[in-house]
Each structure stands twice: as structure tokens, then as C-alpha cells.
Amino acid sequence: MKNKKIKKPLLTVLLAVLLFAVLSGGIYAAPKEKKASVTKAKTVDVKAWDCAGCHKDKKVLPDSHVPIKEMPYEACLVCHIPGEKNAGTLRTKIPGSHLHALKGVKCAQCHGKVKKPAPVEMSKCVACHGETAKLAEKTAKVKPQNPHESPHYGTSADCNLCHHQHAKSENLCAQCHKFDYIVP
Amino acid sequence: MKKDDQSEKTLSRRNFLKTTGGVAATAAAMVGGLNLLPAKAEAAGYALPKKWDDTYDVVVIGSGFAGLAAAIEAKNAGASVLVIDKMVLHGGNSIINGGDFCAPGTKLQQENGVQDSAELMLKDMLRAGAYLNHPDLAKMVAYNAKGALEWTESYIGAKYAKLNFHGGHSVKRAHGTINSSGSELVNKELAKAKEIGVKIQLRTKLVKFLSNKDGRIVGIEVRKDYKFPDDNSGKPAFIKAKKAVVLSSGGFSRDIKLRQIHDPRLTDRFESTNQPGATGEALLAACIAGAMDVQMDWIQLGPWTSPDEKGFGYVPLFCERLVGYGPMINPKTGKRFFKETGNRKERADAIILIGDPVIIMGDSYAVNKQIFPMALQKGVEAGAIKKFDTLEAVAKEYNIPVDVFLKEIERWNSYVEKKKDDDFDCMIFKDAQPTVVGPFYAARLWPKVHHTMGGLNINTDAQVIGFDFKPVKGLYAAGEVTGGVHGAVRLGGVAMADCIVFGRVAGTNAAKEKPWG
Ligand SMILES: Cc1cc2nc3c(=O)[nH]c(=O)nc-3n(C[C@H](O)[C@H](O)[C@H](O)COP(=O)(O)OP(=O)(O)OC[C@H]3O[C@@H](n4cnc5c(N)ncnc54)[C@H](O)[C@@H]3O)c2cc1C
């Protein structure tokens, strides 16, 4: 079965492109210990499946992982679906930027064609993902509280406050509340 | 960063070190790494940066009620204005606040048939404050609260829907925002500030005030792209304030180290209702630059918080709407133990004296009438507010001796009937009814650190006063970072009035300063 070949957990499909991760001090700067050893140069041209293209010799996938050379995103999803016995969704496993890259979104599509990429405005997120008010409607039933609408910020909180692209995402609400969201 | 002149010192700093002891000296010593021990201070001094990264007429620290009010007034007075905040989001405690704004003699009070005056509000503030309030500052707030409230309505566009009562006030004078949150006001302040051209810069932490050789504040050192709470994050930068700096960095309820210096009981056993960034480093930085602090050990515990939820939670909205309608019971005895409408300090102290959580309760009449439905629903969902079909069930849940309890409720009900509490003199509202209609609702109460009354010493022009009793030139302060307005106890709803009144004064006066260069 074709499926079998890639069935082994793709667990930490740490994909190649830790794009701009070392934007020191930038809005997306990853906490120090989180930074995989990535060289700044040329990450832009590295293919999404080419981990070593950025991470060099550092092992980012588990030994048991199937080879991912030339693997398109759709193929990842064969194993990486939620539920027992599956490899679990890739969201939360790898940084958002890697997911973007896997889906074929190029650095420049968010950061623009610039030498020194800067933090991305929320309007960029919304341009593809839709208005946050709409998103909040979709998540209205999430318990214990709609994560996309609050009495403090309405639906206007910046996506990147929680959904980081070049660092591990975080649950900002948990600073003050007992809301145990899993944040992609 | 290269410094211009390593020998340039501030007079105020020297004076400060020579003349102060106690609190502020401790504060200075606490700021580790600055190497400003008295013996070395002369040599260290303050040096100005060679190059300023940014220049504004007025630089405001903190994006809460006070800071944004100051920024708006300064901008409207013609100054260029920058507001910085260290957090990733604006709003500080103001954006998690309950939205109750106290002001006397307002339209909403008239509509509700409430007789009130600035004089009475001042009287309430002073009585609650144990007369430790600096009378001129308290008076400023009481007499200008109405104008401040109206400014937030007519100019900022904030909306208030309901008149609420808070313990310690003689009358209902808290104007509740339409969403029962300070976000209604602070978000509209932010929108207005942006609209008129105030620059807002988040993730920028004030590290140090910079003074020239005359002790005048000329700018600040910050860490840009700071990531709370990592002190090493971000990069140093220098911002020049041509006219003045307004410090509106809020209170220090979450600063366990600092609050324990002033009140050693307040260890990490006590939770806080505040946002995580409510810490005192900016206040201490001002002290190091020569500002005097006052009444730092008056730290308020909220008597209406629940041990069954995190932070402020929903129970305070439940408890404070119920006092004067339902009783507070000590589960150990089954009896009431204190005046429900008493002020925060009295009530918190009474609960701490009991040593274990107590309960506040109400019947369906009181709860449906008084409690914001969302708060009730969320409180119940979180398990912090509980619903019971009978009074016996309430007793069972909290291990209350049932016979005593039922008798005590009868006794309470008789006081409600005659609108007079013979036991504790609780204020019983006209529309209150005996606690008889099931289902009943109850919540446990245990205090959390809520407000720091103490802070920087200011005058009625919002100028910060130094250790030579003279204004520290170029430095203004407003809001919870200041001390003296509230004395021993801040009454509910008076912080908003304080922040807007003094925020506006600070901004207006900061813009009037003569530029130093
Ligand atoms: C849960 C809760 C409910 C409340 N409800 C009410 C109520 O209903 N009515 C009422 O009158 N009062 C209420 N209060 C009190 C009131 O909200 C606060 O006193 C008030 O918001 C303080 O406003 P502020 O502008 O002084 O400070 P804040 O709103 O706290 O703003 C200060 C800002 O300064 C920033 N800051 C701090 N240090 C630095 C630094 N070093 N560098 C840069 N930025 C810094 C902080 O991050 C913060 O954003 C409540 C308080 C809490 C916590």
C-alpha cells in the first residue's frame, strides 16, 4: 500500500525553512533556546522539504520518519491528521512559517521583496485568511471562551500575539485566564 | 552606547542620595546592576547619550487610562507625543478593569434619583482613606470627576449604561461602561489618540530616566522590541523628551519583591487581580532620578475575589453587585460577620482574620436584578459561582451549620424588610428584598492584591515632587503610579476618576513646559 510507506510518524517534520528566524529583536524573534541552528543566508530559496538546507546537519526529524525529499504538502497530510494512530496535525508541531512554506507561500508574499524583512502587519494575515470578525463567528462556540473575541480587544487583537510564525505559538489569554487553548 | 560626558551628574540624584533613607534608598538599592550605591553615586552620575534615537515634545510611559488621557491633552495642546508601553498589548490594568467610573452630581445619577455632590464624594474618599489622603489631591479628583466623566463621553465617545454601588460610598455614583469593562474607555482613548496623531509604541520598556546636570528630566532610556518579562530582550534606545515625560506606568500589585518590602505579609501566597506587567520598575526608576515616593505600604487587597478562579475573574462582578442585597456568611459559624457594604480594607481584613474563605450569596430576585448575565454565566461555567435549589443545599456545600444558618438568613431578611441592619449597619438598598426566592447563588471569597495606593508624590499640577520638596523638572505623573489621592483605601470606581482627572492635567501641563533643547 502506498499509504504505508509514509505512514511512519512524520512527528517533528521540522521543515527546512525557518524563514528569517534570526531577525534579532524583530517581532518574530524566537526565544534563544528555540532557535534552531539556521544560517540567515539563502533560507529564502530553500525548498520546504529540504530541512538541511537551513538546519544543516542538525537532526530535525525523528529517525523513523519517512524520507520527505520532494514531498508535497498534500502528502504530509496523509499521515498528519488528528486522531489516535495518526501522526497528529502539523499545526502546533512546526512553526507557522514552515506550514506557510509547505503550502507554497513564499517569504516575499508576506514580507515583500526586501533585503531586510520586517515584522508583518496583521493586514497581511487578514488579506488571505479573512477578517477576524468572521473568524470569531466561526470560533464562537469554542469553550471556555471564544479565542478570537474578548471583552478587552473585541476581535481586533493581532493574530501574531498568539500565532507566531517564527517561534512557538503561545496562548496569551493564559496570562490571566484559565483558558487552555491549543494554539496552532 | 557611547555616552557624551561621563562626568555629567544630576543634582537631584546627589541630593536624593544624601537626603533620603528608608523606602526610596531601599528602592534604589534594589535596582540591581545599576551600581548606584551611595558611595559610588558621585562617580557614576548620569550621562546623556551622544545620539537620541527619537525625539518628541512629550513622552508618555504607559498606555492605560492615565497615559492616554495625558497623551491626548498634550497632543491637543500642540505637542508631538509618543506613548510607550512595555507589553505586547496596550491598556495595562485599564483594559481588564470593571468599567466603573465614580463621579458626583451627574445626569445618570439625576435620572436615578440619586442626590450627590463633590463634597460628599470627597468626604467618602477621606473617610475610607483614613484621612491619610493628601487632601488637595483627593479634592482635585472629587471636584473634577464629573468633568472628567463628561469628557470621556462627549470627546472620547465612551458610553455608560448603569449606575452601580461600591462599598464605602454614601450613594450610588459608579457609572458602569456599557460592556462592564474599562476596555470601553481605554480602547476609545487609544482610537482618539491615534486619530489625532499620537504615536504609540508597544514592547518598549522604560529602563531609566535621563536628567541633565540641573536634574531636569530630558529623556528616557528604553529597551525596544522588549519581550515581557525577559529583561535581556530588546535593544537599548534613547528617546529625547524636549518638553516633559509623563509617567503613567500603573501600580505594582504584581511586583512581589517590591510589595513585600512595603508589606511583608504580601508574599507569593497572595494572588493578584492585576495584569502581569503591573510591576514597579518605572516607579523605582523615577525615585532614582530624584522623585519622592509616598505611602507605599498601603496596598489594597480586593475582598471580593474568589480562590476558585484565576486573576480578577467573575466573582467580583457578582459580589459587588450583591452587597446590600444579600448576606456574606462565615461558613464556620453560619453567621454574618461584617458589614457587606463596608470598604475594601475593612472587609479584606475581616476575611483574613477569619483565616478561610467566606461566602457571598443572593437569591434569584437579587441575582437576576443585579448581576450582568454574562458574568453570572461565565462564573457558573468556571465553577466559581454555584447555584442551589434550597438554602439547605447551600449549607451542605460549604459545611455550614444549617440551623444557625437558616436562622441567620431569617434575621437578615428581617433587616431587609425594615431596611436597617441592627448587627453590622450594612447599607440595605431600597429595592432589596428578603433572600427567599430559589434558586440561590453563592461564591467563595478570599482576598487578592488589587491596588497600590502609594506611589510617586505629585502636586495638583501633576508635577512629580522630589526629595528637595520641589518639582522634579520635566517629570509629570498620573494614575496608579502616583500616591496620596486615596490614602489608606481606594474606593471602588475612584481610580478611573483619578486617572482621567490627573492624566489630563499631566498632559496639558507637560505640553506647556519650555523645551530644554
Ligand atoms: C481587574 C481590575 C478591575 C478594576 N476595576 C476598576 C473599576 O471598575 N473602577 C475603577 O475606578 N478602578 C478599577 N480598577 C483599578 C484601575 O483599573 C487601575 O487603577 C487603572 O486602570 C490604572 O490605570 P493607569 O493608567 O494608571 O495604569 P495602567 O492602566 O495599569 O497602565 C499602565 C501601563 O504602563 C505599562 N508599564 C509599566 N511599567 C512600564 C515600563 N517600565 N515601561 C513601559 N511601560 C510600562 C504597563 O504595561 C501598563 O500597560 C481595577 C483594576 C483591576 C486590576
Side-chain angles (χ1 to χ4, degrees), chain B residues 93-373:
Chain B
N93 274 342
S94 303
I95 211 161
I96 62 170
N97 134 319
D100 275 344
F101 191 135
C102 278
T106 64
K107 218 174 106 217
L108 194 59
Q109 282 184 317
Q110 260 168 32
E111 286 165 14
N112 285 270
V114 176
Q115 283 277 351
D116 197 8
S117 67
E119 204 184 340
L120 184 60
M121 177 160 160
L122 178 60
K123 230 172 117 186
D124 288 344
M125 286 170 67
L126 296 177
R127 193 180 45 214
Y131 302 95
L132 292 175
N133 324 55
H134 290 201
D136 52 341
L137 299 181
K139 190 171 176 190
M140 271 289 285
V141 171
Y143 280 76
N144 292 290
K146 178 170 178 254
L149 178 82
E150 287 168 357
W151 179 78
T152 68
E153 290 178 291
S154 61
Y155 181 66
I156 303 295
K159 294 202 172 64
Y160 302 86
K162 210 174 165 217
L163 199 61
N164 294 321
F165 175 79
H166 279 271
H169 288 278
S170 301
V171 294
K172 288 193 182 185
R173 63 163 71 97
H175 301 68
T177 54
I178 43 163
N179 66 350
S180 290
S181 167
S183 62
E184 164 69 8
L185 175 54
V186 80
N187 284 334
K188 286 184 174 163
E189 281 184 87
L190 182 73
K192 177 62 82 179
K194 283 183 173 165
E195 178 196 314
I196 62 177
V198 170
K199 174 97 194 289
I200 313 281
Q201 196 175 302
L202 301 177
R203 300 175 202 248
T204 303
K205 181 185 181 178
L206 169 98
V207 175
K208 196 194 278 181
F209 287 93
L210 303 172
S211 344
N212 67 12
K213 60 180 176 357
D214 305 320
R216 188 201 199 284
I217 302 295
V218 293
I220 56 173
E221 181 181 335
V222 299
R223 286 191 86 86
K224 259 175 121 161
D225 297 320
Y226 168 77
K227 180 93 173 82
F228 176 86
D230 177 5
D231 280 343
N232 296 319
S233 60
K235 278 183 295 194
F238 296 93
I239 305 172
K240 176 170 164 180
K242 282 205 295 203
K243 292 184 168 179
V245 175
V246 177
L247 181 57
S248 40
S249 53
F252 59 93
S253 286
R254 285 260 184 203
D255 199 322
I256 296 176
K257 202 168 169 185
L258 180 57
R259 77 186 193 204
Q260 270 190 93
I261 289 202
H262 298 286
D263 185 341
R265 296 172 304 165
L266 301 183
T267 61
D268 56 7
R269 283 189 305 126
F270 284 88
E271 243 242 75
S272 170
T273 61
N274 284 205
Q275 63 115 352
T279 52
E281 73 284 345
L283 191 163
L284 296 179
C287 290
I288 290 170
M292 193 194 307
D293 52 1
V294 54
Q295 298 173 347
M296 292 284 283
D297 49 355
W298 284 104
I299 298 175
Q300 179 171 86
L301 294 149
W304 19 243
T305 43
S306 157
D308 303 319
E309 58 185 352
K310 222 173 155 177
F312 190 72
Y314 301 104
V315 170
L317 304 173
F318 176 77
C319 178
E320 282 311 83
R321 294 286 84 74
L322 270 188
V323 296
Y325 291 90
M328 244 165 27
I329 300 284
N330 174 3
K332 281 188 216 165
T333 61
K335 291 191 169 177
R336 292 174 64 223
F337 60 95
F338 200 77
K339 175 179 179 169
E340 285 81 355
T341 50
N343 77 40
R344 294 175 172 184
K345 174 156 182 57
E346 299 166 342
R347 287 158 62 193
D349 285 349
I351 299 171
I352 292 174
L353 200 64
I354 285 172
D356 283 306
V358 298
I359 64 164
I360 174 84
M361 56 176 291
D363 71 350
S364 283
Y365 165 77
V367 168
N368 293 338
K369 186 177 165 310
Q370 284 298 107
I371 314 295
F372 192 54

Side-chain angles (χ1 to χ4, degrees), chain A residues 12-178:
Chain A
T12 13
V13 178
L14 229 293
L15 288 152
V17 207
L18 230 191
L19 304 171
F20 312 123
V22 264
L23 255 189
S24 66
I27 198 167
Y28 298 133
K32 285 229 168 59
E33 68 280 8
K34 298 264 159 52
K35 273 182 203 165
S37 54
V38 176
T39 31
K40 260 189 236 175
K42 291 208 195 128
T43 49
V44 179
D45 303 324
V46 172
K47 292 279 189 298
W49 46 261
D50 180 14
C51 305
C54 296
H55 294 281
K56 303 279 165 180
D57 301 337
K58 198 163 179 275
K59 214 177 63 160
V60 288
L61 292 177
D63 288 341
S64 53
H65 204 282
V66 298
I68 58 166
K69 191 168 182 208
E70 307 282 359
M71 188 186 281
Y73 178 57
E74 292 69 31
C76 304
L77 297 185
V78 173
C79 296
H80 282 287
I81 45 176
E84 233 183 296
K85 293 202 188 131
N86 296 318
T89 168
L90 274 178
R91 308 165 89 190
T92 74
K93 277 199 171 62
I94 55 172
S97 58
H98 290 47
L99 273 176
H100 275 123
L102 269 173
K103 292 184 186 178
V105 180
K106 298 268 179 282
C107 307
Q109 277 172 263
C110 299
H111 290 281
K113 273 198 179 139
V114 287
K115 270 230 175 81
K116 244 185 118 188
V120 171
E121 300 267 322
M122 176 175 160
S123 56
K124 278 273 168 23
C125 313
V126 171
C128 296
H129 295 277
E131 290 297 332
T132 48
K134 274 262 147 52
L135 173 65
E137 279 172 27
K138 272 201 220 159
T139 56
K141 296 228 165 72
V142 172
K143 292 285 169 197
Q145 181 82 48
N146 190 345
H148 297 119
E149 180 161 19
S150 78
H152 317 295
Y153 316 105
T155 59
S156 73
D158 196 311
C159 312
N160 184 59
L161 290 169
C162 297
H163 305 285
H164 302 313
Q165 296 305 304
H166 304 292
K168 200 167 163 39
S169 289
E170 67 183 295
N171 175 5
L172 201 76
C173 304
Q175 278 193 342
C176 302
H177 297 279
K178 237 193 227 160

Side-chain angles (χ1 to χ4, degrees), chain B residues 10 12-13 16 27-28 31 34 36 46 283-291:
Chain B
T10 72
S12 63
R13 171 67 190 154
F16 157 68
V31 181
L34 285 181
L36 283 169
Y46 274 167
L283 191 163
L284 296 179
C287 290
I288 290 170

